[in-house]
Amino acid sequence: MVQIIVSIPGDGKDVEEWGMLDLQGDLETRHPVPLGGKFIGDLHFTQKDVPVLIIGHHILYGKVVNMEKPFAVLVKNHREQGDNSNIDDSNQNKKETSYTVQAIIKKKLLFKSRPKPIIANVPKKI
């Protein structure tokens, strides 16, 4: 049996609540580069709490949805258990892995409609 140790912050420390973006479809760029850690766009909310995502020259309107089952964001922790009293090297430096709950995701921002182009009002010269 495999045991997975998960610690939840207690003693008055509340777990942070995060949100998640749910984009229906593909997010393509001109050049195929990984998007991890890159700036994608601006997220705004209207006065009626409707999320608006602006990516380049496109605008997406979404809605806030409560998730049916919340997600937990876990951080993996490694700890070595070195036992110097044994001569056998197989028992030394065992790694113990545990996880800490960093945040809970209960809501997501769902963008499922097609993006609309942002067109500036350019006056025509006569």
Side-chain angles (χ1 to χ4, degrees):
M1 175 169 54
V2 177
Q3 291 184 347
I4 299 175
I5 301 168
V6 177
S7 66
I8 300 173
D11 302 326
K13 298 179 196 172
D14 291 333
V15 177
E16 292 184 48
E17 186 172 334
W18 287 3
M20 181 172 72
L21 286 179
D22 188 357
L23 299 173
Q24 302 288 312
D26 296 329
L27 189 59
E28 296 179 1
T29 60
R30 291 182 185 166
H31 308 289
V33 294
L35 295 176
K38 304 271 185 185
F39 175 77
I40 295 175
D42 293 317
L43 177 64
H44 302 278
F45 286 88
T46 64
Q47 292 178 348
K48 296 181 181 179
D49 289 333
V50 174
V52 177
L53 183 61
I54 300 172
I55 301 175
H57 297 290
H58 296 88
I59 187 166
L60 294 101
Y61 295 96
K63 62 181 178 178
V64 180
V65 177
N66 290 323
M67 296 181 66
E68 190 174 313
K69 293 183 181 180
F71 287 165
V73 179
L74 303 177
V75 176
K76 190 174 187 177
N77 305 313
H78 293 287
R79 192 177 79 185
E80 294 201 21
Q81 293 179 331
D83 187 7
N84 295 333
S85 63
N86 290 342
I87 299 173
D88 186 14
D89 288 337
S90 64
N91 289 335
Q92 290 183 356
N93 297 331
K94 289 184 182 178
K95 289 186 180 180
E96 180 180 297
T97 303
S98 64
Y99 297 89
T100 305
V101 176
Q102 184 173 1
I104 300 291
I105 300 175
K106 295 182 181 178
K107 295 183 181 191
K108 67 179 176 180
L109 305 177
L110 178 63
F111 296 93
K112 63 180 182 179
S113 61
R114 286 187 164 274
K116 295 175 177 53
I118 299 174
I119 301 172
N121 187 7
V122 180
K124 295 181 181 180
K125 293 184 179 180
I126 301 179

